[in-house]
Amino acid sequence: MAAVNTVPSYTPSLWVRVCHAVPRLDLSMQMRDNIFVPESWEYQQTLLVLSSLSAIALVISLLVVLSFLIHYCCCHRGDRGEGSEEEEEDEDGSTGHGYSGKKGRGICCVTWVAVAAVTLCCVAIGIGFYGNSEANDGMYQLTSSLLTANYTLASIDLLISDTISGLQLSVSGPLTSMEELFSGSKPFLVSTRNCRRLSENVVNLLSSISLAWSSVDTGLGNDSRISGASIIPLTPVPPSVAPTVVPTSSLLPNPFSPGWAANTLMVNEDYRWLSYVLLLLLDLIVCLFILLGLAKQARWLLILMTVLAWLALFLSWGSLGLETATVVALSDFCSDPNTFILNSTQFNTGTSSDVMDYYLTCSRRMSSPFQQMLTQSQRALSNIHTHLSSLERNALPQFPKAEKSLREVQQILNSTEGNFHQLVALLNCRGLNKDYIDSLKGLCYDGMEGLLYLSLYSFLSALAFTAILCSLPGAWRSFPSESEEYDDSDSESEDPFTSHQARRQASSGSQRGATAPFYNYPGAGWTPPFSSAPPLPTPNVSSNGNPGYESLPLTDRQSPPPSYSPSMLTGYGGNQSHPSHSRNLYSR
């Protein structure tokens, strides 16, 4: 039984208490209280100071990146002369196509720093997606609770308006006809007038129960006795649709409306969620294409991604500033939300503090502020029912014409009693307090957690993009220059049997300005393969006296002319006298 009567409660989370304990400074660097007063200029100054910390961090990041750019552009330019000799020594000591010297180690280090920074950025993006989802879930729970509370308030207003309209109809219609019929019988006439008086009392009592959160002054009839009632005849709708319309006169309606708040929050949350998704996708595209540019060594791609990385760096630090101010302000609100709502004029306008405190706390020790009015209305309805039963027993046998009017009054009374029982259940604090607690949990638990994860994402992504911008110039130096690419393309057309060491010596010789012409090799001249009689090369004498080429190094030997088939010799050199001689010479 105790579990059924348990009232849900809200306690601030650990993160709310930690963020609420952050010291506050205004623009004059004086300590301020951490009480949530958003309309106060002193409180707004504390938020500006906290958000300005991200601007300071942005300036530090720019200085770090600028220092690295100066280091790569100026320092390495003066070391090119000395670096060329070191590169030669490194190439002589290296094997294959790798790097083993000081330059190779530096290039490898810079490349791995860039890869590590991109990996950190990807981790931050994953944290950002999770935080964005958590914040969206919290806002969804908040708006759903507000819509449910607005549905309850609209149902209360509808029941009150239906009850008042029914009693007004009974007073102006059937009861008036019964008074005319019972004008000759004083006891029956007194009972009928008592029913009218009690109905008017119930109307006045129910008019004072109307909640100002979703009520607007509207007239329900020409009767002066109920013209001052603040009743809004709303038709209840499912909680997924807010029955209120955003007012055009002011940004925030007065009094506060949960439906208006839910509509406004849903629109703003859609834009916030979409903005973060686009920012996360931008960071992801930049990280992936930076990896692709490093792998493919595409300069144009790295230039484009560097520009986008600068944009992402500014957006990361800017979003961190907004998230910091929002987290601190939200922690101040969530630490003591009841006090802010009770002291805010936007929430308690038209509603007494006792009513607000009853629905916000819903304590067992507190009685409903509507209890006395509901009791009086219940007694009045019971007395009306008693008078109508007496008239049905005693007056109908004498006045059969009054039966129709009496039945109409009884039907209205039965409908009024049914609405009244529903009204008593809805006016209980449990329903609205549950919606209030659910909204606080969605905002202060899930919403707060999501904002903290988004703050962590912004911080990590800002650090990652700072490291990326610092390491990209070093990675740029590891890319082969245009001359090196040209040498590589020429080396593909060289003799495949030339050793790698000979190629390296030839390339080093070309760098020193001693490159021989392309077809200028030592020894006798060489004629194209389709000449009529290629000249004989100058043979070197081997140990046995026979001419040969064994003593020549491979790099100094000239390429022999290709051999020809008989058909080719017939077509190209049939009328010449030396093709057989040359073929026999090179067939050894």
Side-chain angles (χ1 to χ4, degrees):
M1 189 67 179
V4 177
N5 296 329
T6 301
V7 179
S9 60
Y10 163 77
T11 55
S13 63
L14 175 62
W15 290 113
V16 170
R17 294 193 295 268
V18 170
C19 296
H20 181 64
V22 174
R24 313 299 166 81
L25 297 174
D26 58 5
L27 296 178
S28 60
M29 295 300 138
Q30 296 180 358
M31 295 295 297
R32 294 292 180 180
D33 296 333
N34 52 5
I35 301 175
F36 184 68
V37 188
E39 64 274 5
S40 175
W41 170 239
E42 288 77 9
Y43 183 79
Q44 295 174 4
Q45 289 181 3
T46 60
L47 298 181
L48 288 176
V49 171
L50 289 173
S51 61
S52 63
L53 296 177
S54 63
I56 298 175
L58 174 60
V59 173
I60 295 175
S61 298
L62 295 179
L63 292 177
V64 171
V65 176
L66 181 61
S67 64
F68 271 86
L69 290 178
I70 294 175
H71 174 72
Y72 282 114
C73 294
C74 298
C75 297
H76 288 279
R77 181 180 300 176
D79 298 338
R80 287 181 180 177
E82 299 177 358
S84 59
E85 298 179 359
E86 294 179 357
E87 289 175 3
E88 294 174 6
E89 296 177 357
D90 295 341
E91 290 177 355
D92 293 337
S94 63
T95 57
H97 195 65
Y99 299 96
S100 63
K102 185 182 298 183
K103 177 183 176 182
R105 290 191 296 270
I107 291 173
C108 182
C109 179
V110 169
T111 304
W112 279 110
V113 168
V115 172
V118 171
T119 304
L120 178 62
C121 182
C122 294
V123 173
I125 291 171
I127 296 175
F129 273 109
Y130 178 76
N132 193 31
S133 177
E134 284 292 316
N136 184 259
D137 292 342
M139 295 302 296
Y140 177 78
Q141 184 176 353
L142 172 62
T143 54
S144 298
S145 301
L146 288 175
L147 289 175
T148 304
N150 190 71
Y151 176 75
T152 302
L153 295 175
S155 301
I156 291 174
D157 288 341
L158 178 63
L159 291 173
I160 292 175
S161 63
D162 288 346
T163 302
I164 291 177
S165 300
L167 292 176
Q168 178 189 0
L169 181 62
S170 65
V171 169
S172 61
L175 288 179
T176 303
S177 301
M178 291 173 63
E179 289 179 358
E180 294 176 357
L181 292 176
F182 298 150
S183 59
S185 177
K186 186 176 181 179
F188 299 152
L189 182 61
V190 170
S191 297
T192 304
R193 289 179 177 178
N194 287 335
C195 292
R196 173 191 285 272
R197 178 179 56 81
L198 293 172
S199 298
E200 293 174 353
N201 291 336
V202 173
V203 169
N204 293 330
L205 291 172
L206 293 180
S207 299
S208 61
I209 293 178
S210 177
L211 299 177
W213 289 324
S214 58
S215 63
V216 180
D217 293 336
T218 54
L220 296 176
N222 297 326
D223 196 341
S224 61
R225 289 182 293 271
I226 60 172
S227 60
S230 298
I231 306 300
I232 179 171
L234 297 175
T235 302
V237 296
S240 59
V241 180
T244 56
V245 180
V246 177
T248 58
S249 59
S250 62
L251 182 62
L252 185 63
N254 195 356
F256 173 79
S257 173
W260 176 88
N263 277 330
T264 305
L265 289 174
M266 283 191 296
V267 173
N268 295 333
E269 174 59 20
D270 290 339
Y271 284 111
R272 186 208 64 80
W273 180 85
L274 181 60
S275 300
Y276 269 100
V277 168
L278 294 178
L279 179 59
L280 291 166
L281 291 178
L282 173 64
D283 293 350
L284 182 61
I285 290 173
V286 171
C287 292
L288 294 180
F289 276 92
I290 284 177
L291 288 179
L292 181 62
L294 292 175
K296 297 294 185 180
Q297 296 185 352
R299 298 177 182 271
W300 67 269
L301 185 58
L302 281 186
I303 293 175
L304 178 60
M305 291 302 107
T306 301
V307 175
L308 294 180
W310 279 107
L311 176 61
L313 178 64
F314 280 93
L315 292 177
S316 297
W317 285 120
S319 62
L320 180 61
L322 293 177
E323 290 155 2
T324 302
T326 305
V327 165
V328 172
L330 185 59
S331 65
D332 295 339
F333 169 77
C334 294
S335 61
D336 192 8
N338 294 350
T339 302
F340 169 73
I341 294 175
L342 290 174
N343 295 331
S344 177
T345 57
Q346 296 293 343
F347 290 96
N348 56 20
T349 300
T351 305
S352 63
S353 59
D354 295 337
V355 175
M356 294 291 297
D357 191 25
Y358 171 71
Y359 284 106
L360 293 180
T361 58
C362 194
S363 176
R364 298 178 182 178
R365 295 184 297 271
M366 297 180 61
S367 60
S368 174
F370 308 115
Q371 185 64 39
Q372 184 178 359
M373 290 178 286
L374 293 175
T375 302
Q376 294 177 1
S377 299
Q378 181 67 35
R379 290 175 181 176
L381 291 176
S382 299
N383 291 333
I384 293 174
H385 186 73
T386 301
H387 287 294
L388 292 178
S389 298
S390 177
L391 290 175
E392 183 180 8
R393 289 192 307 268
N394 300 325
L396 287 183
Q398 301 179 16
F399 301 94
K401 293 182 179 181
E403 181 179 3
K404 181 179 179 181
S405 299
L406 183 62
R407 300 303 180 191
E408 292 179 359
V409 174
Q410 288 179 343
Q411 184 177 1
I412 293 174
L413 181 62
N414 293 333
S415 176
T416 301
E417 288 182 346
N419 293 339
F420 185 80
H421 290 300
Q422 296 181 21
L423 181 62
V424 171
L426 290 177
L427 287 175
N428 190 274
C429 66
R430 293 183 181 275
L432 290 175
N433 181 260
K434 182 180 180 301
D435 297 333
Y436 172 67
I437 296 299
D438 291 342
S439 63
L440 287 180
K441 289 181 179 180
L443 179 63
C444 300
Y445 288 171
D446 294 339
M448 188 69 169
E449 182 181 358
L451 285 176
L452 289 175
Y453 276 111
L454 288 176
S455 301
L456 179 60
Y457 146 73
S458 299
F459 179 72
L460 293 179
S461 63
L463 292 181
F465 282 115
T466 302
I468 288 172
L469 292 174
C470 291
S471 60
L472 281 182
W476 185 282
R477 295 177 62 247
S478 66
F479 293 174
S481 61
E482 296 180 359
S483 59
E484 293 177 355
E485 293 177 357
Y486 181 76
D487 293 340
D488 293 339
S489 62
D490 290 343
S491 63
E492 294 178 359
S493 61
E494 292 178 355
D495 188 4
F497 297 100
T498 304
S499 63
H500 182 71
Q501 183 177 2
R503 294 180 187 177
R504 187 180 303 156
Q505 293 176 356
S507 62
S508 62
S510 62
Q511 292 178 358
R512 298 175 183 177
T515 304
F518 189 78
Y519 289 107
N520 188 11
Y521 291 93
W526 179 79
T527 58
F530 298 111
S531 62
S532 59
L536 294 176
T538 303
N540 292 331
V541 179
S542 59
S543 59
N544 54 4
N546 296 326
Y549 299 92
E550 289 78 4
S551 61
L552 290 176
L554 293 177
T555 55
D556 294 337
R557 295 182 185 181
Q558 59 184 2
S559 300
S563 59
Y564 301 97
S565 61
S567 60
M568 294 176 63
L569 293 175
T570 304
Y572 293 102
N575 297 326
Q576 300 177 4
S577 59
H578 298 286
S580 59
H581 173 74
S582 61
R583 183 169 63 253
N584 294 331
L585 175 64
Y586 291 103
S587 61
R588 295 179 180 178

